[in-house]
Amino acid sequence: YSETLETEGRILAVSLNTMELEPSADGVTLRLTIQLAALAGEELVKGYESGNRTALDGLALHLSATPRT
């Protein structure tokens, strides 16, 4: 999917995000690739990295607490 971050009509960043799910011995492996064009500086890149890391950590925590069927 693609994402555009803007404020007050000014584009701050554009990203193309790809998620790949593959079966593995432990369940499923998620590979996330983010291609980011940040037009508002390095801090925006750090914010994207932090936000995505937090989201993936939350997903892992949720899935580890979910019983397998």
Side-chain angles (χ1 to χ4, degrees), residues 1-48:
Y1 62 93
S2 64
E3 179 179 32
T4 301
L5 178 63
E6 63 179 274
T7 184
E8 298 176 359
R10 180 175 168 232
I11 296 176
L12 303 176
V14 178
S15 67
L16 176 62
N17 308 289
T18 305
M19 292 183 184
E20 299 174 71
L21 300 170
E22 296 180 16
S24 69
D26 297 325
V28 175
T29 298
L30 167 64
R31 180 178 296 120
L32 174 62
T33 303
I34 300 172
Q35 300 172 8
L36 176 66
L39 308 173
E42 184 67 26
E43 289 302 312
L44 187 71
V45 174
K46 291 177 184 176
Y48 260 78

